[in-house]
Amino acid sequence: MTIRKYIFRIGTMLFIAVAMSGFVRADEAEVRVYAGQPVHPVTRYLTGACLEDVNHEVYGGLYSQMIFGESFQEEAPKSPAQAISGMWRGLQHGAVDGDYSSETDEPFAGDQSQRISFFSGQGELGIENQGLNRQGMTFIGDRPYDGYIWARAGKPVELWVALESRDGKNVYAGQRLAVSGNQWQRLDFILTPTGSDQTGRFVIKLKQPGSVVVGEAFLEPGEWGRFKRLPVRKDVVDGLIDQGITVLRYGGSMVNENTYRWKHMIGPRDRRQPYHGHWYAHSSNGWGIPDFLDLCDAAGFLGIPDFNINESAQDMTDFIEYANGPADSRWGRQRVADGHPQPYRLKYLELGNEEKVDDTYANKFAALARAIWARDPKIILVVGDFGYHSRFIDPMHFSGADSGITSLEGQERILKLAREHHREVWFDVHVWTEGPRPDSSLDGALSYSDALDKLAEGAAHRVVVFELNANNHSQQRALANALAISALERGGFPVVTSANCLQPDGQNDNGWDQGLLFLNSSSVWLQPPGYVTKMISNNYEPLLVRSEVESPGQCLDVSATRSQGGKELVLRMMNVGAAPLRVKLHINGFIPGQPLARVEELAAPLDARNTAQNPGQYQTTFKNWKPGFTNGETIYTCAPYSFTVIHFE
């Protein structure tokens, strides 16, 4: 005889049911699903992603801007010894005498602009840009590309812009622009290449003597390549929709920089000033929080923006008016001018990221919360907490917090604030899913939820996970994400988003290697963790039902949900073992009306990941399965290292 333990969560309480059974073989597991016993509702927002790297996920990724380093703020490389902004390179054809210099006198943006000087000779002199980390730009023949540059010149000069091959031997499109004076002027253009290229470049050049200062450059696909006319790549947004994303969180370490402020992200994008970012020293505000809200509104995602905790109370009050106020209000008029006439109907807003939630944070949170709630009492604020790696025995004395706190006194103060104002607050904690199982931070998050329940004294609150984090994007991370999402679903968490939402292939230089949707300048493709999101999203049912599992070596985890009327049942099984696992399924309280069940399975070696050369090598497989129930029992064999979803009707 063996003892088996069934672990499941009802609300925020953890229960362990112990039963006796006969011996279970090492290659066999047993699962019981009680379809007639709903535990609690399940939200649609467990299949989300987090955008947190503005200069890789956004620039070079989601944002339609094809130029990286558009405002010429990067330092010039030491070799070759030319004063050219770091993301650009010089070009010269023919016998030309010329020079480059950084213009710090009245720059268009930031600290400097770029001067190009053609002194004498015959030929061309200019600069070229090849996109993020010089990966090359993709041009599609006979498709228009829109753009502009801001330039000025002491004397009138003719300036040329062009789309070329990487080596400049092929010129696909070009246009002459007239720079008429020493005041900054915007020069718009449309370039339609005669051929296609996946490693092209954008060029600004002089073809005759003269000197010009360039302050800003912008290039994007025409409407054909943008999602609903927004400044975002259509193929990337289509990829997110196809992935089943239901919620996006815009935040992360980037929000902790002192100059990260929402008022720097409004108005014409070419007039927004760059700032010193967390991941990149020369971050741009060309795409920011309002652009994020535009995207979520157009794509149907629930959007949750994150703000620096040091924003002023007045500025946050102004933001609420900007986001949700009428069109004739002061900040509502600014929203209309920015291209969004209707209010965003914003519901959730996070303050800070991975903060040390102590008295200092609680004081800042309280000041902003009072101002925000006074403007819009329906806004649910989210505390930007961190991660916890041990269970809470005493909420006021513990260890294992990533932030270093040893007491939940700050959280208790925020709960008291919510209770006094009759408002709901959420707490964002982060979980590590390196895989194939989540680490101790998952248990810490579940225990944290229980600890807050003990401190709440009636305060309305929820716990969410806005970052599932890892250092890989392979199958092992996919399994850990599936395990974490299922556990958090059973724990009653309303929102789960996985970082990072996007990753430029071969261009990620900030240490994070965990993108769900990979991309280059010409295509997008899912990694195994992205398929997990898609599988869960595509098989959503609104009620969690009780399930029990007995598994050798704890290789199998199971969650089950059903439709409101009880006509559909979804079973999710995660096998983290290296061998096939024969599973005895016992279904109580549900009789399938269809002889075949739909099965989706993601099975692969732990280190499996998809590449640009073979983007669909590891993906979900589909089949119809005839379970052949006998007295509510059947057998299913889970593949090694697999995530399986069975949809019964």
Side-chain angles (χ1 to χ4, degrees), residues 189-202:
F189 57 82
I190 298 175
L191 297 173
T192 303
T194 56
S196 298
D197 195 331
Q198 292 188 1
T199 58
R201 69 186 191 181
F202 171 73

Side-chain angles (χ1 to χ4, degrees), residues 20 45 67 74 103 114 205 228 242 276 287 334 345 367 386 394 460 486 500 512 540 550 578 619 640:
M20 303 298 293
Y45 302 121
I67 295 169
E74 289 81 1
E103 187 73 28
Q114 181 66 55
K205 57 189 175 183
K228 296 186 178 180
D242 180 67
H276 189 285
W287 202 91
Q334 179 66 55
R345 301 183 299 277
F386 207 166
D394 181 352
S486 293
N500 284 27
W512 289 103
Y540 168 77
E550 178 184 5
Q619 58 180 304

Side-chain angles (χ1 to χ4, degrees), residues 159-483:
L159 187 66
W160 287 80
V161 292
L163 306 181
E164 299 181 353
S165 60
R166 185 187 293 274
D167 57 11
K169 293 181 179 180
N170 296 312
V171 178
Y172 304 115
Q175 185 173 329
R176 182 181 63 85
L177 305 174
V179 185
S180 59
N182 207 27
Q183 299 298 314
W184 288 110
Q185 61 186 113
R186 172 169 161 159
L187 305 168
D188 293 82
F189 57 82
I190 298 175
L191 297 173
T192 303
T194 56
S196 298
D197 195 331
Q198 292 188 1
T199 58
R201 69 186 191 181
F202 171 73
V203 169
I204 304 172
K205 57 189 175 183
L206 297 168
K207 294 186 178 184
Q208 59 188 19
S211 184
V212 65
V213 182
V214 185
E216 183 91 5
F218 185 84
L219 178 71
E220 68 176 355
E223 289 186 11
W224 61 269
R226 306 199 307 270
F227 183 77
K228 296 186 178 180
R229 299 184 177 182
L230 295 175
V232 290
R233 280 176 53 175
K234 183 178 185 299
D235 60 342
V236 176
V237 181
D238 286 344
L240 294 175
I241 293 172
D242 180 67
Q243 186 185 346
I245 293 294
T246 54
V247 53
L248 279 180
R249 178 240 194 178
Y250 189 59
S253 298
M254 67 187 191
V255 312
N256 295 344
E257 290 301 312
N258 194 45
T259 52
Y260 186 89
R261 296 290 188 273
W262 80 269
K263 285 186 176 179
H264 298 166
M265 306 173 191
I266 58 176
R269 66 190 69 256
D270 50 344
R271 305 300 298 190
R272 303 175 192 173
Q273 292 296 304
Y275 69 102
H276 189 285
H278 179 86
W279 298 111
Y280 189 67
H282 308 288
S283 291
S284 170
N285 279 309
W287 202 91
I289 290 173
D291 304 287
F292 165 75
L293 295 176
D294 286 341
L295 166 63
C296 292
D297 192 46
F301 304 143
L302 173 64
I304 304 178
D306 194 1
F307 290 77
N308 189 297
I309 188 61
N310 294 309
E311 288 269 14
S312 71
Q314 184 60 58
D315 283 348
M316 290 309 301
T317 300
D318 292 343
F319 176 78
I320 298 304
E321 183 174 281
Y322 178 93
N324 290 350
D328 59 356
S329 64
R330 177 187 174 188
W331 288 100
R333 286 193 294 271
Q334 179 66 55
R335 183 191 68 240
V336 173
D338 289 344
H340 201 282
Q342 299 301 318
Y344 286 109
R345 301 183 299 277
L346 184 72
K347 299 178 181 179
Y348 308 98
L349 185 155
E350 185 171 16
L351 297 174
N353 172 72
E354 295 184 347
E355 302 284 346
K356 184 177 183 179
V357 183
D358 55 10
D359 283 345
T360 299
Y361 176 89
N363 288 336
K364 293 177 180 179
F365 184 93
L368 298 183
R370 292 188 180 99
I372 291 168
W373 288 334
R375 176 67 66 178
D376 188 341
K378 295 181 180 179
I379 292 288
I380 293 178
L381 296 178
V382 186
V383 175
D385 209 326
F386 207 166
Y388 297 87
H389 292 270
S390 60
R391 294 193 59 79
F392 289 83
I393 305 303
D394 181 352
M396 295 306 171
H397 298 90
F398 58 83
S399 61
D402 287 328
S403 67
I405 63 172
T406 57
S407 166
L408 295 184
E409 293 177 2
Q411 288 83 349
E412 185 178 40
R413 285 187 55 191
I414 292 170
L415 287 167
K416 181 179 179 181
L417 176 75
R419 186 171 62 250
E420 291 173 348
H421 286 78
H422 306 288
R423 303 289 177 256
E424 182 175 348
V425 291
W426 288 3
F427 295 81
D428 169 26
V429 294
H430 297 168
V431 172
W432 194 259
T433 54
E434 182 74 7
R437 295 179 173 90
D439 77 354
S440 58
S441 58
L442 174 60
D443 194 43
L446 296 168
S447 180
Y448 176 90
S449 178
D450 295 337
L452 291 189
D453 288 344
K454 296 177 182 178
L455 300 175
E457 296 183 0
H461 69 284
R462 306 290 293 274
V463 180
V464 295
V465 173
F466 283 169
E467 290 186 30
L468 298 177
N469 282 314
N471 275 319
N472 72 86
H473 51 271
S474 62
Q475 179 74 0
Q476 71 178 52
R477 202 275 175 105
L479 293 173
N481 268 20
L483 288 164

Side-chain angles (χ1 to χ4, degrees), residues 513-535:
D513 190 26
Q514 59 173 351
L516 303 186
L517 186 69
F518 265 51
L519 55 93
N520 55 32
S521 65
S522 61
S523 60
V524 300
W525 63 96
L526 277 178
Q527 295 294 351
Y531 281 106
V532 165
T533 301
K534 185 173 183 177
M535 293 167 70

Side-chain angles (χ1 to χ4, degrees), residues 584-638:
K584 293 182 179 180
L585 294 178
H586 306 265
I587 309 294
N588 299 300
F590 178 83
I591 300 175
Q594 300 296 325
L596 298 178
R598 301 196 308 273
V599 177
E600 298 182 30
E601 187 172 73
L602 180 69
L606 288 181
D607 61 354
R609 57 186 67 109
N610 292 319
T611 65
Q613 294 72 34
N614 196 349
Q617 182 176 4
Y618 302 106
Q619 58 180 304
T620 309
T621 60
F622 300 85
K623 66 180 179 182
N624 289 322
W625 172 57
K626 188 174 183 179
F629 282 103
T630 302
N631 297 323
E633 298 182 1
T634 189
I635 300 291
Y636 186 88
T637 299
C638 292

